[in-house]
């Protein structure tokens, strides 16, 4: 059984600014993962809401929460409710679209982030599963669609060398330091992407170690 | 990782350790963090909860931007001072703490989600009342949160804890069940009694819908936490009295999941059905957001 909730602090926590853990704290988390995947703050973000998110985002403060996450704020940052203003002042264009159809990733609390800075285009499809915990069920990087099982943490290595020995090196490193449930390889003419569904939350030092060892690694 | 309530009860009985201890050990193993770090993280959550209870119960209280909720923890506090509560002063103190916390949440204050923000009043509601009634020290209060959290992990992984997927039974229902189990441990009950309390508390809130007016975490969420806290205390007392649930705890959790999935979308945090769909609920929504929504 793969557990969606992996820590007692997924249940008792997070410490956050109200009003909703799924629609506010979870939305901050989705925005933060967007920031991590993009590798910083994008210039333009279009947020597509589905299901309960589309129906209730205004009442729950989901818009400011996603904006806060994109800016890299944490759930307990007192600037969270002011995030859209802060983003505007920094020249970041964030738009919100209420979609009518079914969520493409099949969850009622879905937000899909289209992020760009003019050159780079990245998409992240996340859903908020309760208590501030989220899943990332689809990513589009360099036009490659990546579909992890959803539960965090997720490790991605974007490999412009397209050398499977890079995948093997990362695989054996992770097997020792951060066991994973599944891994997948995605290929395009320009890039290979290696994706891993990690079992438990990272030990604090491990992300630094991974970033030092592998260029173009993303830890969600 | 413990996947079922019966597993953790069996282990607690075998090792003669409280559930809280097993959850602390599990957390250290899963996270790779030291016991001290894990303990201090929970201590920080406890302090956050205490600050929220205090903020909502001080002065005139807090009020949300919409004006839909606020100030009622203070009304309860003043009422208690007269000494004529029908359900008893400790019960109403728990209710006051629960309402205070959710009023702070609705007013965009800082809270600790337990398991969610919408249900963040239920655990502090009972915990800070029990602190006085049972003269709890900080260590006991932190243990209460580990037990509650460990139970919540099992609920979250086997059922739901989000209103959008499981209705309010998954939020306040889960919080109440977690609180009931933790209250039993802190009051000196056995792990088996904790499991019974969880089953009773969850059974009693099965079917509770999530119907927030205008999609705001205000009405009925704030008062739902009053019943979450009250129900937890009733279930804990019943379990301590030796009452048992005919349906085992793990099966109650499975039932909660199935009931949640059978609920129509209008009753799962969409702000469409239930109280949100009443003429008054719709009028409030139109007033806050304009008629086009």
């Amino acid at each position: 059984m793969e557990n969606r909730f992996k820590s007692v602090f997924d249940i008792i926590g997070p410490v956050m600014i109200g009003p909703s853990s799924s629609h506010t704290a979870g939305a901050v988390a989705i925005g933060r993962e967007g920031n991590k995947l993009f590798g910083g703050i994008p210039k333009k973000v279009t947020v597509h809401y589905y299901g309960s998110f589309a129906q209730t985002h205004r009442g729950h403060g989901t818009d400011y929460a996603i904006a806060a996450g994109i800016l890299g704020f944490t759930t307990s940052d007192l600037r969270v409710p002011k995030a859209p203003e802060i983003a505007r002042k920094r020249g970041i264009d964030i738009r919100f679209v209420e979609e009518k159809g079914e969520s493409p990733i099949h969850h009622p609390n879905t937000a899909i982030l289209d992020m760009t800075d003019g050159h780079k285009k990245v998409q992240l499809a996340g859903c908020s599963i309760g208590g501030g915990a989220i899943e990332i069920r689809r990513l589009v990087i360099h036009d490659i669609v990546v579909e992890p099982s959803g539960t965090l943490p997720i490790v991605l290595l974007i490999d412009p060398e397209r050398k499977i020995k890079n995948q093997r090196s990362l695989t054996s490193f992770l097997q020792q330091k951060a066991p994973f449930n599944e891994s997948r390889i995605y290929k395009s003419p320009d890039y290979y992407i290696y994706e891993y569904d990690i079992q438990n939350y990272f030990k604090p030092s491990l992300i630094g170690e991974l970033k030092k060892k592998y260029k173009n690694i993303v830890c969600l | 990782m413990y996947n079922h309530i019966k597993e953790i009860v069996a282990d607690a009985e075998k090792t003669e350790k409280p559930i809280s201890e097993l959850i602390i050990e599990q957390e250290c193993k899963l996270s790779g963090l030291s016991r001290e770090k894990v303990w201090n993280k929970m201590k920080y959550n406890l302090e956050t909860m205490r600050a929220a209870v205090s903020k909502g119960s001080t002065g005139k209280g807090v009020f949300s931007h919409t004006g839909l909720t606020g100030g009622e923890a203070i009304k309860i506090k003043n009422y208690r001072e007269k000494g004529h509560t029908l359900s008893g002063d400790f019960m109403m103190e728990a209710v006051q703490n629960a309402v205070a916390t959710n009023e702070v949440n609705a007013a965009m204050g800082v809270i600790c989600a337990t398991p969610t923000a919408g249900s963040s009043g239920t655990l502090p509601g009972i915990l800070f009342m029990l602190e006085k009634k049972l003269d709890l020290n900080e260590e006991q209060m932190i243990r209460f949160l580990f037990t509650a959290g460990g139970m919540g992990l099992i609920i979250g992984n086997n059922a739901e804890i989000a209103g959008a997927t499981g209705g309010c039974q998954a939020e306040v229902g889960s919080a109440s069940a977690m609180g009931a189990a933790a209250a039993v441990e802190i009051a000196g009950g056995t792990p088996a009694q904790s499991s019974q309390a969880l089953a009773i508390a969850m059974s009693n809130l099965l079917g509770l819908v999530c119907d927030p007016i205008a999609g705001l975490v205000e009405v009925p969420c704030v008062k739902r936490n009053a019943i979450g806290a009250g129900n937890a205390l009733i279930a804990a007392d019943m379990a301590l009295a030796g009452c048992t649930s005919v349906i085992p705890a793990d099966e109650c959790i499975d039932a909660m999941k199935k009931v949640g999935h059978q609920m129509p979308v209008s009753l799962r945090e969409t702000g469409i059905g239930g109280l949100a769909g009443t003429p008054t609920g719709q009028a409030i929504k139109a007033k806050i957001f304009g008629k086009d929504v």
Side-chain angles (χ1 to χ4, degrees), chain B residues 37 92 109 114 123 128 143 147 154 156 159-160 175 195 217 223 236 239 251 266:
Chain B
K37 284 217 165 110
M92 287 315 289
T114 56
L123 285 188
F128 293 100
R143 282 190 176 277
T147 302
I154 293 169
E160 305 287 357
S195 157
V217 193
K223 290 188 180 70
E251 290 183 43
S266 63

Side-chain angles (χ1 to χ4, degrees), chain B:
Chain B
M1 188 164 176
Y2 293 107
N3 288 320
H4 300 285
I5 304 292
K6 65 179 178 207
E7 287 169 17
I8 197 164
V9 170
D11 232 25
E13 285 170 351
K14 197 176 79 190
T15 59
E16 295 183 356
K17 288 177 184 172
I19 291 171
S20 53
E21 187 58 33
L22 298 179
I23 298 303
I24 294 166
E25 289 171 4
Q26 170 176 280
E27 189 64 26
C28 292
K29 214 170 136 193
L30 287 174
S31 66
L33 297 174
S34 68
R35 187 187 175 93
E36 192 193 355
K37 284 217 165 110
V38 167
W39 185 266
N40 285 339
K41 261 176 112 166
M42 197 59 97
K43 187 174 164 182
Y44 171 64
N45 288 344
L46 176 69
E47 284 161 4
T48 304
M49 291 177 207
R50 188 187 292 285
V53 166
S54 160
K55 192 174 173 194
S57 301
T58 307
K60 289 181 177 167
V62 294
F63 294 83
S64 72
H65 299 306
T66 62
L68 279 178
T69 54
E72 295 203 323
I74 298 296
K75 285 185 188 167
I76 298 165
K77 185 182 174 188
N78 294 340
Y79 170 69
R80 280 177 52 219
E81 276 169 11
K82 293 178 197 149
H84 302 299
T85 59
L86 301 179
S87 52
D89 189 57
F90 283 117
M91 178 62 87
M92 287 315 289
E93 184 174 5
V95 167
Q96 178 193 319
N97 295 339
V99 169
T101 302
N102 277 84
E103 286 181 340
V104 168
N105 180 60
M108 290 181 195
V110 179
I111 55 94
C112 179
T114 56
T116 66
S119 59
S120 60
T122 297
L123 285 188
I126 55 182
L127 180 55
F128 293 100
M129 178 281 284
L130 291 175
E131 179 186 22
K132 290 185 195 159
K133 181 161 173 77
L134 302 177
D135 196 20
L136 301 178
N137 60 31
E138 187 184 77
E139 184 193 329
Q140 289 171 301
M141 295 177 81
I142 290 171
R143 282 190 176 277
F144 174 100
L145 293 176
F146 276 111
T147 302
M151 294 299 185
L153 256 184
I154 293 169
I155 296 170
N157 282 325
N158 287 284
E160 305 287 357
I161 57 164
T165 49
C168 192
Q169 55 158 11
E171 297 206 20
V172 169
S174 296
S176 191
M178 288 155 52
V184 165
E185 179 179 310
I186 218 74
T190 65
Q193 285 174 329
S194 280
S195 157
Q196 295 297 343
L198 182 146
I200 294 167
M202 182 153 283
S203 305
N204 289 356
L205 293 180
L206 216 58
L208 194 61
V209 301
C210 178
D211 51 353
I213 289 174
L216 299 160
V217 193
E218 298 203 43
V219 181
C221 318
V222 172
K223 290 188 180 70
R224 288 264 166 88
N225 279 271
I227 201 62
N231 179 56
L233 291 169
I234 291 166
D237 265 334
M238 287 175 76
L240 288 164
C243 301
T244 54
S245 169
V246 171
I247 308 299
D250 290 304
E251 290 183 43
C252 292
I253 294 170
D254 290 344
M256 187 269 271
K257 178 184 190 174
K258 286 188 185 137
V259 169
H261 291 184
Q262 284 163 353
M263 273 182 196
V265 170
S266 63
L267 300 176
R268 283 192 273 123
E269 206 171 353
T270 46
I272 295 171
L275 295 173
T278 59
T280 302
Q282 289 292 311
I284 292 169
K285 183 179 180 184
K287 200 176 158 201
I288 295 171
F289 293 124
K291 284 210 159 54
D292 59 318
V293 283

Side-chain angles (χ1 to χ4, degrees), chain A:
Chain A
M1 159 170 173
E2 202 210 346
N3 288 315
R4 303 183 295 168
F5 297 96
K6 300 181 175 188
S7 162
V8 72
F9 299 108
D10 287 343
I11 303 295
I12 308 296
V15 169
M16 56 169 284
I17 309 284
S20 164
S21 51
S22 56
H23 291 58
T24 318
V28 172
I30 291 173
R32 282 175 66 85
E33 298 308 326
N35 176 304
K36 282 191 220 164
L37 182 67
F38 197 82
I41 304 172
K43 280 196 182 133
K44 189 176 174 194
V45 185
T46 308
V47 181
H48 304 269
Y49 289 130
Y50 293 85
S52 174
F53 266 24
Q55 295 285 348
T56 67
H57 65 104
R58 288 203 264 178
H60 279 117
T62 312
D63 297 359
Y64 65 69
I66 295 227
I70 288 167
L71 293 171
F73 298 170
T74 62
T75 52
S76 61
D77 193 315
L78 292 169
R79 295 173 297 175
V80 167
K82 302 263 175 242
E85 266 175 68
I86 298 169
R88 243 192 324 273
K89 277 184 195 153
R90 294 192 194 170
I92 304 150
D93 178 0
I94 308 181
R95 289 165 198 210
F96 302 94
V97 184
E98 291 170 11
E99 301 287 354
K100 294 240 184 314
E102 275 282 295
S103 157
I105 57 167
H106 313 293
H107 194 281
N109 293 336
T110 294
I112 298 183
L113 277 51
D114 279 317
M115 298 170 283
T116 182
D117 61 1
H119 308 286
K120 187 161 59 167
K121 267 188 177 172
V122 175
Q123 187 188 75
L124 175 140
C127 53
S128 186
I129 62 169
I134 61 162
E135 291 185 7
I136 305 295
R137 294 187 181 173
R138 202 179 67 200
L139 307 156
V140 185
I141 317 155
H142 299 303
D143 294 324
I144 303 172
V145 179
V146 178
E147 292 185 309
S149 72
T151 311
L152 301 179
I154 296 166
V155 166
L156 299 165
L157 181 62
I158 299 153
D159 182 10
E161 292 180 347
R162 289 172 288 124
K163 284 187 179 147
I164 223 67
K165 75 168 174 39
N166 294 333
Q167 188 265 353
R168 286 201 200 105
S169 154
L170 178 58
T171 300
S172 71
F173 182 83
L174 288 174
Q175 274 166 344
Q176 284 171 30
K177 304 261 181 155
F180 52 88
N181 293 322
E182 278 187 72
S183 71
R184 298 172 189 87
I185 300 175
Y186 298 87
K187 295 180 177 178
S188 82
D190 301 316
Y191 296 94
Y192 287 0
I193 296 179
Y194 318 124
E195 183 267 316
Y196 301 82
D197 302 337
I198 307 294
Q199 270 172 20
N200 294 319
Y201 290 132
F202 294 117
K203 293 180 178 67
S205 59
L206 192 67
I207 294 179
E209 219 177 310
L210 276 167
K211 288 197 168 157
K212 217 167 142 190
K213 205 165 150 65
Y214 299 95
K215 220 178 129 189
N216 297 327
I217 200 160
V218 179
C219 302
L220 299 179

